[in-house]
Amino acid sequence: MLYPLHWKSGMPLVGVAHGHSTITPCNAGIQPLVDRVAQELLAVGLFPQTWGFVTGSDGISMGTPGMECSLPTREHISDSVQLGRGNHKMDGLITIAGCDKNKPGCLMGLAYCNVPSVYIGAGTIKPGHWKGKIIDIVSPFEALGQLNAGKISREDFEGIEKNACPGFGVCGGQYTANSMECAVAALGMSQLEGALMAAEDDEKLDSAGKAVRLLKNLMEKNIRPRDIITRKSIENAITVMMATGSSTNLVLHFLAIAKAAGVKWTLEDFERISRRTPVLCDLKPSGKHVATQFHAAGGVPQLARILLDNGRINGDCITVTGRTIAEELANVPSEPRSDQEVIRPWPKPLYKSGHITILKGNLAPKGAVAKTSGVKATRFTGRARVFNSEAQCLKVVLAKKIKAGIVIVIRYEGPKGGPGMPEMLQVTAALIGQGLLNSVALITDGRFSGGSWGWLVGHVDPEAAVGGPIALVKNGDQITLDKNKRLIRLHVPAKELRARKKKWKQPNPRYTEGVLAFYAEHVSGASEGAVLT
């Protein structure tokens, strides 16, 4: 849609930064939201100025060198929001975000700009179906492992692949994009009820229109992002993250968002909240249900009300409505409906504490993030099988050379080494397909897709590329992971590790020019959010 090139004296400028792109289903449905927002802005006396920011599709680039560009887009989206607003001194901002890095990038940019702002999510995809079963974006990755293991036919593999993504919207389970949507709603920067609306439904368009009226109210009252994004509201966001069994990527992203908002937040804060928060939602990847089912069951408002009533979230935090979260939840029932199985009542959680554990030890002195949803044992000890890239590991997994009891170590995939911390979804999905994720563990200085589950430990810091202990692991070394003790231990004497470190040589950077070379040189460690410094 082309907007008339005109100016009305005294009409406040509102920037609309968005991630519409035809390259990915996550973002291909955003333009109608942009158009609706622009129309509503003019209708209420605000003048829209729209621009697009770079985006990518993790689902398309997964397992390829394209994943090196994924996390760096988060910083560039934040930059785009800041520079777009700064060039023209916008009086207010609306961001519309689709795929994974869009969301934290927008929040970071809004926090740095700190003018009245509202965040809008693009909406979730509706589930696909194959032979009577609900499928989604992760299903083809797991089906590849099943096909390779001889567990499904070529017909079923192709049917799953062709039907997994039937329309527009972000990946349909509680993966990174939907995890962020729920957390941002609990944070107060978006509408509570809008978090998991389907991208193709009319209610999503209507919620975009409502966002404009909310923005006008925020502008009139001069309520800004840093009034909303506080330590207490981040606690709310992370509590909802834990209660929904969300992606480990939110650890990276909320460290970065907190920094942008000037809020002190550390890895230990995630651990603190995880220990006190039960998992109340039965959602993919480790559970049964998808985002549209969660939304139909009451979604974030219903979950937040349960958490509020049980003293797990701060009710006095302000939201984009200008009201507190407690006021927003006043008319939401205290108990989930009995005709649904997605949201559990407080006395009957899926798990008694959160699914994410921060581990520390001689293999990760600055910390690592373990996602233990769906695992049967809280402690895992095994012998290391070491790989210097995800691609190297995938070849061995597909050749069926990984056996039970192994601790897979994938290194040189961290913020600097990757660069960009690629996700290990191809490997984890192949292991799931072969039925191994309950009998092996995987450790990496890279990341995991929100679609992964099992005994997975990522974000190991310091990373291999800077000589962290993970660079010193050898095949056959014994490694212990312990959720209860929050421990990651390499059973190698300190003297031997010092000797190995003396022989270690830092590899040459994978890029010597351009944006990825700059990123690798300036990015911080994972324990600090992998932010540019």
Side-chain angles (χ1 to χ4, degrees):
M1 176 180 179
L2 295 178
Y3 303 110
L5 198 62
H6 72 283
W7 175 256
K8 294 181 179 179
S9 178
M11 204 171 183
L13 277 178
V14 172
V16 183
H18 64 90
H20 177 78
S21 169
T22 58
I23 202 168
T24 161
C26 306
N27 291 60
I30 288 178
Q31 191 60 50
L33 296 175
V34 178
D35 296 342
R36 178 67 174 267
V37 164
Q39 292 166 3
E40 295 281 352
L41 284 167
L42 288 171
V44 298
L46 302 172
F47 194 80
Q49 293 291 286
T50 68
W51 70 92
F53 48 70
V54 66
T55 186
S57 171
D58 292 357
I60 294 173
S61 61
M62 194 72 66
T64 76
M67 272 302 294
E68 295 167 356
C69 296
S70 175
L71 188 58
T73 65
R74 184 189 72 181
E75 316 307 309
H76 284 273
I77 291 165
S78 173
D79 292 346
S80 179
V81 173
Q82 294 174 63
L83 294 172
R85 185 265 161 183
N87 265 316
H88 302 287
K89 300 303 177 187
M90 307 290 184
D91 300 292
L93 287 169
I94 288 177
T95 58
I96 307 177
C99 202
D100 296 3
K101 310 312 173 296
N102 290 193
K103 301 169 186 299
C106 284
L107 267 292
M108 291 162 64
L110 295 178
Y112 281 124
C113 290
N114 202 35
V115 296
S117 305
V118 175
Y119 165 95
I120 299 173
T124 188
I125 198 170
K126 294 180 179 180
H129 296 85
W130 178 247
K131 293 187 175 179
K133 292 185 178 180
I134 287 179
I135 57 176
D136 62 10
I137 182 62
V138 175
S139 302
F141 290 95
E142 295 181 355
L144 178 61
Q146 293 171 321
L147 179 70
N148 182 258
K151 294 183 177 181
I152 62 171
S153 67
R154 169 65 64 172
E155 177 197 4
D156 283 333
F157 171 71
E158 292 181 354
I160 291 169
E161 187 176 46
K162 292 176 181 178
N163 291 279
C165 297
F168 295 147
V170 304
C171 300
Q174 197 64 359
Y175 311 140
T176 303
N178 281 327
S179 296
M180 278 298 304
E181 284 302 305
C182 295
V184 172
L187 183 69
M189 283 298 297
S190 67
Q191 301 166 63
L192 277 171
E193 70 277 8
L196 298 176
M197 292 176 176
E200 296 180 291
D201 285 354
D202 288 342
E203 66 173 353
K204 186 74 241 185
L205 278 172
D206 292 339
S207 74
K210 180 181 177 182
V212 170
R213 296 187 291 277
L214 296 179
L215 177 66
K216 186 173 184 180
N217 180 57
L218 295 175
M219 293 172 70
E220 290 171 350
K221 294 181 178 179
N222 197 29
I223 297 173
R224 306 180 180 217
R226 292 193 183 193
D227 298 320
I228 296 173
I229 306 173
T230 64
R231 184 169 173 82
K232 290 172 71 175
S233 71
I234 292 177
E235 286 183 345
N236 289 349
I238 303 308
T239 298
V240 166
M241 166 190 169
M242 297 300 175
T244 56
S246 292
S247 165
T248 53
N249 284 312
L250 269 65
V251 175
L252 275 182
H253 298 330
F254 270 92
L255 286 167
I257 292 166
K259 181 178 184 295
V263 175
K264 184 179 179 181
W265 195 261
T266 68
L267 283 179
E268 285 69 26
D269 289 310
F270 292 96
E271 176 64 33
R272 170 176 59 86
I273 294 173
S274 181
R275 290 199 303 269
R276 68 190 289 268
T277 307
V279 178
L280 293 173
C281 298
D282 188 3
L283 295 167
K284 287 178 175 285
S286 58
K288 301 175 184 177
H289 303 287
V290 295
T292 51
Q293 293 172 305
F294 182 27
H295 179 60
V300 175
Q302 179 63 81
L303 175 63
R305 177 60 192 264
I306 296 169
L307 294 168
L308 177 67
D309 286 352
N310 289 278
R312 293 305 190 270
I313 64 174
N314 304 294
D316 58 347
C317 292
I318 199 76
T319 75
V320 289
T321 66
R323 306 196 315 161
T324 67
I325 193 167
E327 289 172 330
E328 289 299 301
L329 297 173
N331 295 322
V332 177
S334 295
E335 297 292 332
R337 298 197 319 267
S338 60
D339 64 344
Q340 57 81 42
E341 298 179 346
V342 187
I343 306 172
R344 300 286 188 94
W346 182 261
K348 297 180 180 179
L350 204 61
Y351 305 106
K352 292 182 179 180
S353 61
H355 63 301
I356 288 178
T357 304
I358 305 302
L359 306 180
K360 287 189 176 181
N362 68 343
L363 189 49
K366 292 186 178 180
V369 180
K371 183 177 184 179
T372 54
S373 52
V375 299
K376 297 178 180 178
T378 59
R379 180 184 172 94
F380 193 103
T381 297
R383 297 289 177 180
R385 183 73 184 274
V386 183
F387 303 93
N388 289 336
S389 71
E390 181 197 14
Q392 186 185 76
C393 178
L394 183 63
K395 289 180 181 179
V396 174
V397 172
L398 293 179
K400 303 178 186 177
K401 293 182 179 179
I402 297 295
K403 305 300 180 184
I406 292 294
V407 178
I408 298 168
V409 177
I410 303 177
R411 61 193 181 192
Y412 297 104
E413 297 283 19
K416 291 182 179 292
M421 292 186 78
E423 296 177 351
M424 305 292 117
L425 179 60
Q426 282 202 322
V427 169
T428 58
L431 291 168
I432 292 169
Q434 294 179 20
L436 285 172
L437 261 196
N438 273 316
S439 55
V440 301
L442 197 162
I443 299 172
T444 180
D445 51 9
R447 297 182 293 125
F448 292 109
S449 163
S452 299
W453 60 272
W455 237 127
L456 309 176
V457 182
H459 309 202
V460 170
D461 195 12
E463 62 176 290
V466 299
I470 191 172
L472 311 178
V473 182
K474 292 184 177 181
N475 286 326
D477 287 347
Q478 191 175 62
I479 296 172
T480 291
L481 307 169
D482 194 311
K483 177 181 178 180
N484 294 335
K485 294 182 179 180
R486 302 188 291 283
L487 176 70
I488 178 169
R489 183 181 178 188
L490 176 63
H491 294 275
V492 175
K495 182 178 180 180
E496 168 64 15
L497 288 177
R498 287 194 295 270
R500 292 183 188 182
K501 183 64 179 286
K502 288 181 179 180
K503 296 179 181 179
W504 176 80
K505 293 183 179 180
Q506 187 173 34
N508 294 325
R510 294 182 180 177
Y511 297 90
T512 58
E513 60 183 11
V515 65
L516 291 181
F518 178 88
Y519 183 88
E521 183 178 354
H522 292 279
V523 70
S524 75
S527 62
E528 298 174 16
V531 296
L532 294 182
T533 59

